[in-house]
Amino acid sequence: MDGRRARFKPDLRCRRWTAAAGSPIWPPGAPTRAPRRGPDTMPKDHADPCIKVCRFDAAGVCLGCHRTKGEVRGWKRLDKAQRAEINRRVRPLMALPPALPPKRRRKLEKKVARLEGKLAALRARLAAP
């Protein structure tokens, strides 16, 4: 090729790289076969932690995956190291039981108090001869 570097381009018909002259060759440093794709080969620490809840609290943090709105919006633009850092931060939080909203918590506390009162009355009736 008279000392100049050949330009390589993918030939999609035969899945090979071809030189500008048309001879099928592999460019230097190119992989000999395509990498395998699938759930077994995808690194787990780069995966999207979304669990499809997508509700945000007042601070702008998702109630499902514990990422901020900015992290959720820009997830595809982040590099693997940034994704892994976010996953290291949110994975332990996702293992915890979800926090109840204040209104729901008050309602459940009232139910528990009412049931404890009924239980105390039943115990008193059983203890009396």
Side-chain angles (χ1 to χ4, degrees), residues 19-34:
S23 61
I25 59 171
W26 288 97
T32 55
R33 66 179 204 188

Side-chain angles (χ1 to χ4, degrees), residues 11-79:
D11 186 358
L12 300 177
R13 290 170 291 169
C14 65
R15 295 184 185 172
R16 290 188 181 177
W17 289 79
T18 56
S23 61
I25 59 171
W26 288 97
T32 55
R33 66 179 204 188
R36 292 180 51 189
R37 304 273 178 174
D40 296 336
T41 60
M42 183 156 185
K44 302 292 186 231
D45 60 338
H46 305 173
D48 192 350
C50 184
I51 58 170
K52 309 298 185 223
V53 171
C54 301
R55 295 182 71 205
F56 294 91
D57 62 4
V61 177
C62 179
L63 298 176
C65 65
H66 301 280
R67 294 182 292 169
T68 63
K69 286 182 181 180
E71 291 169 345
V72 172
R73 268 192 244 121
W75 184 257
K76 290 184 179 182
R77 291 186 298 273
L78 297 175
D79 62 358

Side-chain angles (χ1 to χ4, degrees), residues 63 66 92-100:
L63 298 176
H66 301 280
L93 298 174
M94 291 175 68
L96 298 173
L100 292 174

Side-chain angles (χ1 to χ4, degrees), residues 79-98:
D79 62 358
K80 289 182 180 180
Q82 291 171 321
R83 290 182 189 186
E85 169 58 36
I86 292 169
N87 278 336
R88 276 192 293 277
R89 180 176 52 84
V90 301
R91 294 276 185 217
L93 298 174
M94 291 175 68
L96 298 173

Side-chain angles (χ1 to χ4, degrees), residues 114-129:
R114 189 172 57 242
L115 289 173
E116 285 174 346
K118 286 182 179 181
L119 182 61
L122 285 172
R123 284 184 178 153
R125 217 166 53 177
L126 286 174

